[in-house]
Amino acid sequence: MATVYEDLCEQFKWPRDEALSACMKKTNEETLKRLDDAVADAQENLGETEVREALLAKFNHFLALGEKENALAVSRTLFEKQATIGQKLDLTFALLRLGFYTRDLDLLTQYVDKARALVEEGGDWERRNRLKVYEGVFHMVQRNFNKAALLFLDSISTFTSYELITYNQFIFVTVVMCLVSLDRGTMRAKVIHAPEVLASLRELPDVKNLLYSLFECKYDAFFHALPAIIEQLKLNRYLERHVRFWTREMCIVAYSQFLESYRSVTVESMARAFGVSEEWMDRELSRFIAAGRLNAKVDKVGGIVETNRPDSRNHHYLEMIKHGDVLLNRLQKLSRVIHLQTVPSAPFVRFLVAAPGSAPPVSSRVLLCCVPLNFRSAILSSSWRPTCTRPNLSPTPLCSTFFFFMGLTAFGLLIASLAISALAHCVRRGVKSSWGPISTSSTLGNRVPELFNCTAQSLKRSFPWTAVHTRT
């Protein structure tokens, strides 16, 4: 344990005992020499199974010392020697524990993915359930509390990962993750009424007080139980770095749950419910409202907190209109840049026009988008035909390629603008039929039929031989 002892002395600024450190290093060297001799003897005189067991003993020695580089070097050889998927999964779990100890996120990410691949190849159910716990702890370390909570809930009844965490500690982190991730209905069904959780809460009184005080809306008791949980989180190796974040999220959950029952409430009443002063409550609410975490606003003069009911459907509608408007403005700017202000040459117009009295082919319809409107109408009416001074004159390859790509670009822009306008129009019709008429003061909402009509009329002018029907 010399490596662990030196790391702890460096981390906590403890005075190092050189004699103790030298003794532990000497013991480690003797143990390592004995393990190397066992590996060499197995390779010379014994079979593959004995070689694998000797290497595994050497790997466990480095794992116990916390020597990551040496353990990874031996593990690469072991992966080649391991015969079954179960043995490879056990080795992967050992490396994940080493990654949790050293807090190496790259190592954790690599071997979590490897464990998933091995389980898909044919891992048994016991190792599948263990992987859920390892993966949940991995997400918890990365502050992905939602995924961690779901994985922990799936593993409560089948928990066997005692080498990673004890069962009571597992229930503790499960409840802590669920408090900031689940809604009240899911919390009631999967946590409060879960027999495994109820059995363990008898030995976790602080967690029980926090859970039931929040669920029963006893907010003053909730604030009294919160500091005890915070102190326990500071001692947890996996969550000590996320204590402030978790505390902030818990306060947001409590404030949101309280405000959900009111249209407006005084700051005095809310402060009395949480057992804090009005100044502290006003400061907390202002901080979370300014950050966009609470849907409310504070009337400082009247001392009232007014809640705003979030409307996700209307929000998505306005976001779509906003992005569609930006896209159409960019398309208009681009069309002004690529629009040809000169008359196309006679050979190219001759290349575009089909036989008299017939509709232009599809390729010509694409290319006609690049022709100015006045010449386009004359071409389509077949009232004007270019004359060539030389017989069998054909457009040059460079000219044809240039105008072809210009026409293709214009056609793509036209289709994109039509799609955006039609989609916005359809959404507006759906919103209008479900919510009633929209206020005429909405600038973005009023522009939807205008954009749709302009696009449809542009399509009519571009392709007069097609019938375009619009409905606004």
Side-chain angles (χ1 to χ4, degrees), residues 114-154:
K114 190 165 188 175
R116 289 176 189 162
L118 290 172
V119 165
E120 292 299 326
E121 290 180 11
D124 55 20
W125 284 106
E126 189 267 338
R127 290 183 174 88
R128 285 177 183 267
N129 294 328
R130 287 174 61 192
L131 177 60
K132 289 183 181 180
V133 179
Y134 279 85
E135 194 173 353
V137 175
F138 169 68
H139 288 302
M140 183 173 65
V141 170
Q142 286 191 314
R143 199 179 283 182
N144 193 347
F145 293 164
N146 294 330
K147 288 186 178 180
L150 297 177
L151 289 169
F152 287 157
L153 289 175
D154 291 341

Side-chain angles (χ1 to χ4, degrees), residues 343-361 364 368 374-389:
V343 181
S345 61
F348 180 67
V349 177
R350 183 178 181 182
F351 174 73
L352 290 177
V353 179
S358 63
S364 298
L368 281 171
N374 52 348
F375 292 100
R376 188 188 313 162
S377 59
I379 293 171
L380 294 175
S381 63
S382 299
S383 60
W384 174 72
R385 295 290 177 184
T387 58
C388 299
T389 57

Side-chain angles (χ1 to χ4, degrees), residues 135-261:
E135 194 173 353
V137 175
F138 169 68
H139 288 302
M140 183 173 65
V141 170
Q142 286 191 314
R143 199 179 283 182
N144 193 347
F145 293 164
N146 294 330
K147 288 186 178 180
L150 297 177
L151 289 169
F152 287 157
L153 289 175
D154 291 341
S155 306
I156 287 180
S157 58
T158 58
F159 178 81
T160 56
S161 302
Y162 295 100
E163 73 281 359
L164 182 64
I165 188 173
T166 63
Y167 187 71
N168 285 341
Q169 194 69 15
F170 174 72
I171 295 297
F172 170 79
V173 296
T174 300
V175 175
V176 165
M177 294 296 101
C178 291
L179 283 171
V180 296
S181 304
L182 303 182
D183 55 87
R184 285 177 58 85
T186 309
M187 180 79 69
R188 176 188 178 89
K190 294 188 176 182
V191 179
I192 294 180
H193 288 172
E196 297 87 357
V197 176
L198 292 176
S200 298
L201 286 181
R202 300 172 184 174
E203 303 177 12
L204 301 170
D206 296 332
V207 179
K208 182 178 180 180
N209 293 336
L210 183 69
L211 176 63
Y212 281 94
S213 61
L214 179 64
F215 186 77
E216 296 173 358
C217 302
K218 298 178 180 178
Y219 300 107
D220 54 346
F222 168 79
F223 265 14
H224 282 88
L226 190 60
I229 302 298
I230 294 175
E231 292 300 323
Q232 295 183 38
L233 290 178
K234 291 180 180 179
L235 301 177
N236 189 289
R237 181 172 184 82
Y238 306 117
L239 290 172
E240 61 174 344
R241 297 185 175 184
H242 312 302
V243 173
R244 294 186 62 184
F245 175 80
W246 181 86
T247 306
R248 184 167 61 249
E249 292 298 315
M250 281 303 305
C251 292
I252 292 174
V253 169
Y255 297 152
S256 300
Q257 181 175 295
F258 178 86
L259 294 174
E260 189 175 357
S261 305

Side-chain angles (χ1 to χ4, degrees), residues 15 24 49-50 62 95 98 157 353 355 441 470:
M24 288 189 292
T49 303
E50 289 75 9
F62 288 132
L95 290 172
L98 179 61
S157 58
V353 179
S441 62
T470 62

